[in-house]
């Protein structure tokens, strides 16, 4: 296995898992993994491209997809439908998205399965998965709002 000790722990985990699953570990993959791992706020694919300028745009997008598929990165849709990405802290989770500042908070308590049960039974639809973004204003932005 390659030595990855100088990488961020999340990048190190990703690189190790790539090796275990038989994927190629290239310097560009390491660069993308390191750039993603250091992020604390949601980012766009273009922002990531700017951060790793020596890595081709298509390579950045392919690695974002691979990071998502492996569960290291999650995609967050903002209120306007534009995608952002962030390191994933939980296996299955959903997002609270602040429409004022753009902060994204994860939440894991979600019993959509129970809510969907009658719909599934009635429609015969087989659910393969779900994603939920809840839009509103975070506590910090609510606290800054001036009273009317």
């Amino acid at each position: 296995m390659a030595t990855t000790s100088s990488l961020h722990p999340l990048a190190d985990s990703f690189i190790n898992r790539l090796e275990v699953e038989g994927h190629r570990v290239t310097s560009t993959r390491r660069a993308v993994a390191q750039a993603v791992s250091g992020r604390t706020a949601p980012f766009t694919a273009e922002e990531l491209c700017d951060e790793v300028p020596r890595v081709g745009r298509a390579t950045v997008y392919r690695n974002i997809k691979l990071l998502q598929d492996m569960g290291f990165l999650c995609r967050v849709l903002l209120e306007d439908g534009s995608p952002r990405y962030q390191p994933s802290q939980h296996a299955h989770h959903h997002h609270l998205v602040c429409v004022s500042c753009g902060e994204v908070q994860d939440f894991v308590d979600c019993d959509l399965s129970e809510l969907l049960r009658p719909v599934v039974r009635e429609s015969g639809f087989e659910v393969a998965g779900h994603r939920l973004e809840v839009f509103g204003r975070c506590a910090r932005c609510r606290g800054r709002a001036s009273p009317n």
Side-chain angles (χ1 to χ4, degrees):
M1 285 201 173
T3 303
T4 57
S5 58
S6 64
L7 295 177
H8 185 281
L10 185 61
D12 192 40
S13 295
F14 173 63
I15 296 300
N16 287 336
R17 185 146 157 225
L18 281 174
E19 291 172 333
V20 167
E21 294 184 12
H23 294 279
R24 289 182 53 216
V25 178
T26 63
S27 60
T28 55
R29 275 210 173 124
R30 288 179 192 277
V32 170
Q34 185 68 15
V36 164
S37 299
R39 298 283 187 153
T40 56
F43 60 91
T44 66
E46 289 303 313
E47 289 170 343
L48 191 58
C49 287
D50 291 343
E51 190 168 327
V52 287
R54 292 190 173 132
V55 178
R57 179 174 262 91
T59 301
V60 169
Y61 278 85
R62 277 193 304 274
N63 279 283
I64 285 173
K65 176 72 172 120
L66 182 59
L67 284 162
Q68 279 183 267
D69 291 347
M70 295 179 83
F72 286 95
L73 198 63
C74 61
R75 182 175 183 213
V76 179
L77 293 177
L78 299 187
E79 189 176 29
D80 65 2
S82 62
R84 298 287 188 278
Y85 303 91
Q86 69 180 26
S88 183
Q89 302 299 318
H90 310 284
H92 179 76
H93 66 281
H94 302 285
H95 302 109
L96 301 171
V97 181
C98 180
V99 298
S100 296
C101 70
E103 177 185 5
V104 176
Q105 298 175 26
D106 292 351
F107 72 96
V108 293
D109 255 354
C110 170
D111 195 9
L112 279 181
S113 300
E114 187 63 35
L115 291 172
L116 289 173
R117 189 168 284 127
V119 174
V120 168
R121 186 174 39 249
E122 195 172 299
S123 67
F125 189 80
E126 181 181 351
V127 176
H130 65 268
R131 178 176 28 218
L132 177 65
E133 271 89 28
V134 178
F135 302 100
R137 291 177 47 228
C138 69
R140 188 175 57 242
C141 288
R142 286 181 42 233
R144 282 195 301 238
S146 54
N148 290 335

